[in-house]
Amino acid sequence: MNQAREWIREARAIAVLTGAGISAESGVPTFRGPGGLWRQYSPEQLATPEAFARDPRLVWEWYDWRRCKVAGARPNAGHLALAALEEAKPRFTLITQNVDGLHDRAGSRSIIKLHGDLWTVRCTACARERRDERVPLPELPPRCECGALLRPGVVWFGEPLPAGPWEEAQRAVREADVLLVVGTSAVVYPAAGLVPLAAACGARVIECNLEETPFSAEVDKSFRGRAGELLPQLIAS
Ligand code: OAD
């Protein structure tokens, strides 16, 4: 722990990659592992354009349920530790796969959202995007003023990541002295590819996860535990 703490203290540029595990202690279910299934469905069965085309109401019921969960949640000690680290570092980039907005609510500012935002909706016809924070949504599936279906403003399996944020994320990782990888199973690409990219570009890679991941044996330090406990310890100077 002391060694990793020192790397973080001495780093000029820090990048962080977070996944659903950082929000678990706030009561937001992760996608994989215990509690990961909604009804009997896995995320791969619902978070796709095909699932939405087949049954938009079912897909929206899942998102409406997640939105309700997140609306009742608060940022935890892990989110807050990262917001504090940002204050202490001149070059800091938080890259998240999460769509829940809890990093924003914790006070983080430099956030790259690779998978979009649960609180935006986008028209499937006119592509207009706007914020909608109502929970629960009054009508499922919701519709645009133009009459067409609205979809969640998130990235689904089979869809490309938003080009600008993805470029920025890769740049931040290439330039980082330290990459912190927190609460992600690191199995969903291209986001997971940021971990080997950081290592190839010379960053120290530090992982915090309850369980082992495909990268645990390769990174410089891998800690088993809760993000809300590990991050405050790692970041304390
Ligand atoms: P996953 O649900 O795949 O993984 C969550 C990870 O967090 C697991 O490795 C857990 O061991 C770990 N974990 C759980 N609780 C934790 C805690 N308190 N502290 C630390 N670690 C903890 O979530 P992601 O890796 O974010 O994409 O999943 C990646 C993507 O797959 C998501 O962005 C989403 C999903 O389908 C799309 O919807 C496109």
Side-chain angles (χ1 to χ4, degrees):
M1 177 64 80
N2 282 344
Q3 171 77 89
R5 205 184 278 144
E6 195 178 317
W7 290 337
I8 292 170
R9 195 169 48 235
E10 288 179 354
R12 284 167 305 111
I14 294 204
V16 185
L17 174 66
T18 63
I22 195 169
S23 296
E25 288 157 80
S26 295
V28 181
T30 57
F31 294 97
R32 295 169 188 81
L37 293 184
W38 174 76
R39 298 187 189 163
Q40 72 275 32
Y41 302 103
S42 69
E44 286 83 359
Q45 290 173 291
L46 293 172
T48 69
E50 293 75 24
F52 188 70
R54 196 167 47 239
D55 194 344
R57 186 183 164 87
L58 176 72
V59 171
W60 263 116
E61 279 176 14
W62 181 49
Y63 279 100
D64 201 41
W65 174 78
R66 288 192 75 84
R67 285 162 60 104
C68 290
K69 283 262 179 212
V70 172
R74 291 220 309 260
N76 63 55
H79 298 107
L80 295 171
L82 293 178
L85 183 61
E86 180 171 6
E87 290 301 313
K89 292 287 172 187
R91 289 169 65 201
F92 179 94
T93 308
L94 176 52
I95 304 158
T96 189
Q97 299 164 86
N98 298 349
V99 296
D100 56 31
L102 288 174
H103 285 304
D104 308 67
R105 284 165 58 193
S108 288
R109 285 174 286 114
S110 179
I111 309 174
I112 297 176
K113 294 181 185 176
L114 290 181
H115 291 166
D117 190 324
L118 195 55
W119 302 106
T120 63
V121 293
R122 187 163 73 244
C123 179
T124 53
C126 69
R128 197 180 140 220
E129 192 162 291
R130 61 182 158 79
R131 272 190 96 66
D132 187 333
E133 296 182 356
R134 293 174 297 169
V135 283
L137 284 164
E139 182 202 6
L140 292 181
R143 291 189 175 272
C144 181
E145 287 100 60
C146 76
L149 281 178
L150 289 168
R151 60 163 283 175
V154 302
V155 176
W156 282 330
F157 289 101
E159 295 181 327
L161 299 187
W166 177 235
E167 284 297 316
E168 251 182 89
Q170 291 176 91
R171 188 175 46 76
V173 163
R174 277 197 293 264
E175 293 175 359
D177 302 310
V178 167
L179 174 71
L180 265 170
V181 184
V182 185
T184 176
S185 56
V187 295
V188 174
Y189 284 77
L194 293 171
V195 181
L197 176 65
C201 294
R204 304 276 192 191
V205 181
I206 304 168
E207 177 180 66
C208 299
N209 198 303
L210 269 186
E211 297 170 359
E212 278 200 10
T213 75
F215 291 112
S216 297
E218 290 170 31
V219 298
D220 295 286
K221 290 275 176 198
S222 184
F223 296 102
R224 292 285 79 74
R226 294 180 198 284
E229 289 163 15
L230 289 172
L231 287 175
Q233 291 173 42
L234 276 171
I235 284 163
S237 48

Short mmCIF file of all heavy atoms in Angstrom, two decimals, residues 137-159:
data_model
loop_
_atom_site.label_atom_id
_atom_site.label_comp_id
_atom_site.label_asym_id
_atom_site.label_seq_id
_atom_site.Cartn_x
_atom_site.Cartn_y
_atom_site.Cartn_z
N LEU A 137 -40.14 7.73 -15.09
CA LEU A 137 -40.64 8.44 -16.28
C LEU A 137 -42.15 8.23 -16.36
O LEU A 137 -42.65 7.14 -16.06
CB LEU A 137 -39.96 7.89 -17.54
CG LEU A 137 -38.52 8.36 -17.73
CD1 LEU A 137 -37.79 7.48 -18.74
CD2 LEU A 137 -38.47 9.82 -18.15
N PRO A 138 -42.89 9.27 -16.74
CA PRO A 138 -44.35 9.16 -16.73
C PRO A 138 -44.90 8.21 -17.80
O PRO A 138 -45.99 7.68 -17.64
CB PRO A 138 -44.82 10.60 -16.98
CG PRO A 138 -43.66 11.31 -17.56
CD PRO A 138 -42.42 10.61 -17.08
N GLU A 139 -44.13 7.99 -18.87
CA GLU A 139 -44.63 7.15 -19.96
C GLU A 139 -43.50 6.25 -20.44
O GLU A 139 -42.39 6.72 -20.67
CB GLU A 139 -45.09 8.08 -21.10
CG GLU A 139 -45.69 7.37 -22.29
CD GLU A 139 -45.64 8.23 -23.57
OE1 GLU A 139 -45.02 9.32 -23.57
OE2 GLU A 139 -46.19 7.78 -24.58
N LEU A 140 -43.75 4.96 -20.56
CA LEU A 140 -42.73 4.03 -21.07
C LEU A 140 -43.26 3.31 -22.30
O LEU A 140 -44.33 2.70 -22.21
CB LEU A 140 -42.34 3.01 -20.00
CG LEU A 140 -41.58 3.53 -18.77
CD1 LEU A 140 -41.25 2.36 -17.83
CD2 LEU A 140 -40.31 4.26 -19.15
N PRO A 141 -42.56 3.30 -23.39
CA PRO A 141 -41.34 4.07 -23.64
C PRO A 141 -41.66 5.55 -23.85
O PRO A 141 -42.72 5.87 -24.38
CB PRO A 141 -40.81 3.45 -24.94
CG PRO A 141 -42.02 2.91 -25.63
CD PRO A 141 -42.98 2.50 -24.56
N PRO A 142 -40.74 6.45 -23.44
CA PRO A 142 -40.98 7.88 -23.65
C PRO A 142 -40.86 8.26 -25.12
O PRO A 142 -40.18 7.59 -25.89
CB PRO A 142 -39.86 8.54 -22.83
CG PRO A 142 -38.79 7.53 -22.74
CD PRO A 142 -39.45 6.18 -22.80
N ARG A 143 -41.51 9.36 -25.47
CA ARG A 143 -41.51 9.81 -26.87
C ARG A 143 -41.06 11.26 -26.96
O ARG A 143 -41.24 12.05 -26.05
CB ARG A 143 -42.91 9.68 -27.48
CG ARG A 143 -43.29 8.23 -27.65
CD ARG A 143 -44.58 8.03 -28.44
NE ARG A 143 -44.78 6.59 -28.65
CZ ARG A 143 -44.28 5.90 -29.66
NH1 ARG A 143 -43.57 6.49 -30.60
NH2 ARG A 143 -44.49 4.60 -29.76
N CYS A 144 -40.48 11.57 -28.10
CA CYS A 144 -40.06 12.94 -28.43
C CYS A 144 -41.29 13.76 -28.84
O CYS A 144 -42.33 13.18 -29.19
CB CYS A 144 -39.07 12.84 -29.59
SG CYS A 144 -38.39 14.40 -30.16
N GLU A 145 -41.14 15.09 -28.83
CA GLU A 145 -42.26 15.92 -29.32
C GLU A 145 -42.61 15.60 -30.77
O GLU A 145 -43.73 15.79 -31.20
CB GLU A 145 -41.93 17.42 -29.24
CG GLU A 145 -41.92 17.99 -27.84
CD GLU A 145 -40.51 18.13 -27.30
OE1 GLU A 145 -39.72 18.86 -27.93
OE2 GLU A 145 -40.20 17.49 -26.29
N CYS A 146 -41.60 15.11 -31.52
CA CYS A 146 -41.86 14.79 -32.94
C CYS A 146 -42.63 13.48 -33.07
O CYS A 146 -43.00 13.09 -34.17
CB CYS A 146 -40.54 14.74 -33.73
SG CYS A 146 -39.58 13.23 -33.44
N GLY A 147 -42.85 12.78 -31.97
CA GLY A 147 -43.67 11.56 -32.00
C GLY A 147 -42.87 10.28 -32.00
O GLY A 147 -43.38 9.20 -31.69
N ALA A 148 -41.58 10.38 -32.34
CA ALA A 148 -40.76 9.16 -32.42
C ALA A 148 -40.32 8.71 -31.02
O ALA A 148 -40.42 9.47 -30.05
CB ALA A 148 -39.53 9.43 -33.29
N LEU A 149 -39.81 7.49 -30.95
CA LEU A 149 -39.34 6.95 -29.67
C LEU A 149 -38.07 7.68 -29.21
O LEU A 149 -37.21 8.01 -30.04
CB LEU A 149 -38.96 5.48 -29.83
CG LEU A 149 -40.06 4.43 -29.85
CD1 LEU A 149 -39.42 3.06 -30.06
CD2 LEU A 149 -40.83 4.45 -28.53
N LEU A 150 -37.98 7.90 -27.91
CA LEU A 150 -36.72 8.35 -27.33
C LEU A 150 -35.95 7.13 -26.87
O LEU A 150 -36.55 6.12 -26.47
CB LEU A 150 -36.99 9.25 -26.12
CG LEU A 150 -37.55 10.64 -26.40
CD1 LEU A 150 -38.04 11.28 -25.10
CD2 LEU A 150 -36.50 11.53 -27.05
N ARG A 151 -34.61 7.23 -26.90
CA ARG A 151 -33.77 6.16 -26.36
C ARG A 151 -32.85 6.74 -25.29
O ARG A 151 -32.62 7.96 -25.27
CB ARG A 151 -32.95 5.49 -27.46
CG ARG A 151 -32.01 6.45 -28.19
CD ARG A 151 -30.94 5.73 -28.95
NE ARG A 151 -29.89 5.25 -28.05
CZ ARG A 151 -28.87 4.50 -28.42
NH1 ARG A 151 -28.75 4.13 -29.69
NH2 ARG A 151 -27.95 4.12 -27.56
N PRO A 152 -32.34 5.91 -24.40
CA PRO A 152 -31.39 6.43 -23.40
C PRO A 152 -30.12 6.95 -24.10
O PRO A 152 -29.68 6.37 -25.10
CB PRO A 152 -31.06 5.21 -22.54
CG PRO A 152 -32.11 4.19 -22.85
CD PRO A 152 -32.60 4.46 -24.23
N GLY A 153 -29.54 7.99 -23.57
CA GLY A 153 -28.33 8.59 -24.16
C GLY A 153 -27.08 7.84 -23.74
O GLY A 153 -26.12 8.46 -23.26
N VAL A 154 -27.11 6.54 -23.91
CA VAL A 154 -25.98 5.70 -23.50
C VAL A 154 -25.46 4.92 -24.71
O VAL A 154 -26.13 4.84 -25.74
CB VAL A 154 -26.38 4.70 -22.38
CG1 VAL A 154 -26.92 5.44 -21.17
CG2 VAL A 154 -27.42 3.71 -22.90
N VAL A 155 -24.29 4.33 -24.53
CA VAL A 155 -23.71 3.50 -25.60
C VAL A 155 -24.13 2.05 -25.35
O VAL A 155 -23.99 1.54 -24.24
CB VAL A 155 -22.17 3.60 -25.58
CG1 VAL A 155 -21.55 2.67 -26.62
CG2 VAL A 155 -21.74 5.04 -25.84
N TRP A 156 -24.63 1.42 -26.39
CA TRP A 156 -25.03 0.02 -26.26
C TRP A 156 -23.99 -0.88 -26.89
O TRP A 156 -23.17 -0.44 -27.71
CB TRP A 156 -26.38 -0.20 -26.97
CG TRP A 156 -27.55 0.28 -26.15
CD1 TRP A 156 -27.63 0.32 -24.79
CD2 TRP A 156 -28.80 0.78 -26.64
NE1 TRP A 156 -28.86 0.80 -24.41
CE2 TRP A 156 -29.59 1.09 -25.51
CE3 TRP A 156 -29.35 0.98 -27.91
CZ2 TRP A 156 -30.89 1.59 -25.61
CZ3 TRP A 156 -30.63 1.47 -28.02
CH2 TRP A 156 -31.39 1.77 -26.88
N PHE A 157 -24.06 -2.17 -26.54
CA PHE A 157 -23.16 -3.16 -27.16
C PHE A 157 -23.37 -3.11 -28.67
O PHE A 157 -24.51 -3.02 -29.14
CB PHE A 157 -23.46 -4.57 -26.64
CG PHE A 157 -23.02 -4.75 -25.22
CD1 PHE A 157 -23.94 -4.70 -24.19
CD2 PHE A 157 -21.69 -4.94 -24.91
CE1 PHE A 157 -23.54 -4.85 -22.87
CE2 PHE A 157 -21.28 -5.09 -23.59
CZ PHE A 157 -22.20 -5.04 -22.57
N GLY A 158 -22.26 -3.13 -29.39
CA GLY A 158 -22.34 -3.08 -30.85
C GLY A 158 -22.29 -1.67 -31.40
O GLY A 158 -22.20 -1.49 -32.61
N GLU A 159 -22.35 -0.66 -30.52
CA GLU A 159 -22.27 0.73 -30.98
C GLU A 159 -20.87 1.28 -30.68
O GLU A 159 -20.25 0.90 -29.69
CB GLU A 159 -23.32 1.59 -30.27
CG GLU A 159 -24.73 1.19 -30.62
CD GLU A 159 -25.78 2.06 -29.94
OE1 GLU A 159 -25.54 2.50 -28.80
OE2 GLU A 159 -26.84 2.26 -30.53
#
